[in-house]
Amino acid sequence: MASMSKAVSSLAALILVERHSVDLDSNDALSEVLPELKLGNGGATDWIWEGGMDEAGKRKKRRATVGITLRHLLLHCAGFGYDFTTEEIRDETEPLGSIPPLSSGAIAAFDIPRVFESGTAFLYGCSTDWIGQFIIRLSGLTLREAYQTLVFTPLGVKPGALDSFVTTQLHLNRSTVAAKISEGQFVAIPVELTPQYEGTPPEGFATLASAALLGTLPAYATVIESFLHGSAPAPRLAVPNAKPLISPALWADATSDGLAKLGLSLPTPCIKTTIPQFSADVGPIFPAPAGDADGGAGDGWTMLQTAYNRQVSATGMSVGTHGWAGIANSYFFVDAEAGVGGVILAQFLPFWDAGMLEAREEFGRLVFEFGRD
């Protein structure tokens, strides 16, 4: 599922926000759970790379002046990036630099300097892994337990159908990941999963919330279906004592255009790749209507870590439709106004493949043609 895990991580975090009355907009509240993110603490995240090198050949950086909030983390506005979205992180990550790769599972891989002041821009990155730590520390559970207890069981997801640990069942049904080498030609590639922890990870390591989950399409669709019901399980499942996982007010905030509230939009492209073998440049997220001069640029982002559609799309998606993707060319969308959603999965790189995007758009058209209530 790769980054399609992010929406589940957001939902788990927001459940805990409500249960523990955490202020989404306070650095003090966030740092009570994550002291590493306290403004002025002097740690790695308290620094911002300025660009360029100093006389000693080290990357220039300065102290941050704006505190990170949980809302900023959820909106990818805290200044954290990935190696494939940020030249600074790519060049400072092993073997070029000293930061361990995110695939190592080391907390030091995301306990790093940032690229800009929190709340001032959008950058897709490892904010989600701090959200994972927020879930673990506030709940007292492992990330695997938190997903199951807070999200999957209440939504009626079948046991074992979505998991952050590769069980025997998931391993036996695991698909092959391929690399597209030319049009119509693919070659299977080995994919190293981040370290797997059935229980508590060793000190200094973590199950990475950025891309934690493996599972089946029907199981993930069950989660997406709950998004059409305000975070409540789908009525067809007849889950005992079914109710929304978070309040209507918080759900409305979580699914609104959080970037707009900060005066921001997704950049064009919203991901400028630094590793083209891994991902192409990404965007626009929603196919633009005919005659749209800016090509659909300027979409928003939600606290569910999904892109937010600001105009009726070429495939008929309503304003307020939101959705995102997994790095192996998997995509989902939720149009609550129309009462439809969809998930389409593939397992090949690089991400944002033109042919797969055509398939995604045709899939969206079919959903809107045949799937409306």
Side-chain angles (χ1 to χ4, degrees):
M1 296 299 168
S3 285
M4 289 167 65
S5 308
K6 287 180 167 66
V8 176
S9 297
S10 287
L11 184 53
L14 291 169
I15 290 167
L16 293 169
V17 162
E18 201 151 54
R19 289 184 183 180
H20 295 270
S21 300
V22 178
D23 187 341
L24 285 162
D25 300 302
S26 166
N27 177 250
D28 288 340
L30 179 64
S31 59
E32 284 183 13
V33 184
L34 301 174
E36 300 97 324
L37 302 187
K38 175 72 172 176
L39 181 65
N41 77 82
T45 66
D46 207 34
W47 294 89
I48 294 175
W49 280 312
E50 291 189 293
M53 300 292 181
D54 62 20
E55 294 179 356
K58 294 185 177 182
R59 194 171 296 278
K60 292 180 181 178
K61 57 187 180 181
R62 61 175 176 81
R63 292 291 286 269
T65 60
V66 178
I68 300 168
T69 69
L70 184 57
R71 188 183 300 273
H72 292 163
L73 291 176
L74 292 164
L75 293 175
H76 288 254
C77 292
F80 293 107
Y82 286 130
D83 58 359
F84 73 96
T85 66
T86 315
E87 290 183 357
E88 291 89 340
I89 298 176
R90 180 197 63 189
D91 295 344
E92 294 295 326
T93 297
E94 297 172 356
L96 299 176
S98 59
I99 297 173
L102 198 61
S103 60
S104 69
I107 291 175
F110 55 89
D111 189 7
I112 57 176
R114 296 177 287 123
V115 182
F116 51 74
E117 291 282 4
S118 195
T120 62
F122 174 90
L123 178 62
Y124 191 63
C126 59
S127 292
T128 316
D129 298 302
W130 282 115
I131 294 166
Q133 289 300 297
F134 175 87
I135 294 166
I136 291 164
R137 298 183 197 182
L138 192 55
S139 70
L141 303 170
T142 66
L143 194 59
R144 186 186 188 206
E145 291 168 339
Y147 286 151
Q148 190 66 49
T149 303
L150 298 175
V151 180
F152 298 152
T153 297
L155 291 183
V157 176
K158 292 182 179 179
L162 281 175
D163 207 324
S164 60
F165 178 75
V166 183
T167 61
T168 300
Q169 176 187 350
L170 289 175
H171 177 72
L172 291 174
N173 292 287
R174 187 176 163 198
S175 63
T176 299
V177 178
K180 185 176 181 179
I181 55 176
S182 63
E183 197 61 41
Q185 290 190 304
F186 298 82
V187 59
I189 56 174
V191 175
E192 294 185 14
L193 298 173
T194 56
Q196 296 286 300
Y197 305 111
E198 191 169 10
T200 303
E203 186 173 352
F205 288 83
T207 300
L208 297 179
S210 276
L213 295 174
L214 300 94
T216 66
L217 188 153
Y220 194 82
T222 298
V223 176
I224 296 306
E225 196 172 2
S226 78
F227 292 1
L228 292 170
H229 299 282
S231 80
R236 65 176 179 82
L237 297 174
V239 174
N241 303 312
K243 61 180 180 179
L245 302 190
I246 59 177
S247 69
L250 183 55
W251 182 253
D253 194 8
T255 55
S256 67
D257 186 355
L259 286 189
K261 296 172 184 176
L262 298 175
L264 301 172
S265 298
L266 289 182
T268 306
C270 72
I271 295 176
K272 179 67 174 174
T273 187
T274 62
I275 306 177
Q277 306 94 312
F278 195 59
S279 174
D281 288 348
V282 175
I285 305 304
F286 298 98
D292 181 14
D294 69 0
D299 284 321
W301 194 260
T302 79
M303 288 199 293
L304 290 180
Q305 299 183 78
T306 53
Y308 180 96
N309 187 30
R310 290 180 176 173
Q311 58 186 345
V312 177
S313 75
T315 54
M317 293 181 185
S318 309
V319 173
T321 297
H322 62 104
W324 190 228
I327 196 69
N329 282 289
S330 298
Y331 305 90
F332 73 91
F333 73 91
V334 178
D335 186 337
E337 180 177 318
V340 296
V343 184
I344 182 170
L345 302 182
Q347 292 290 280
F348 71 92
L349 299 173
F351 180 52
W352 210 251
D353 174 77
M356 190 63 197
L357 293 176
E358 290 180 8
R360 181 195 71 159
E361 291 182 26
E362 182 59 24
F363 170 68
R365 289 189 185 95
L366 291 171
V367 169
F368 276 85
E369 183 175 353
F370 298 107
R372 290 175 183 265
D373 293 338

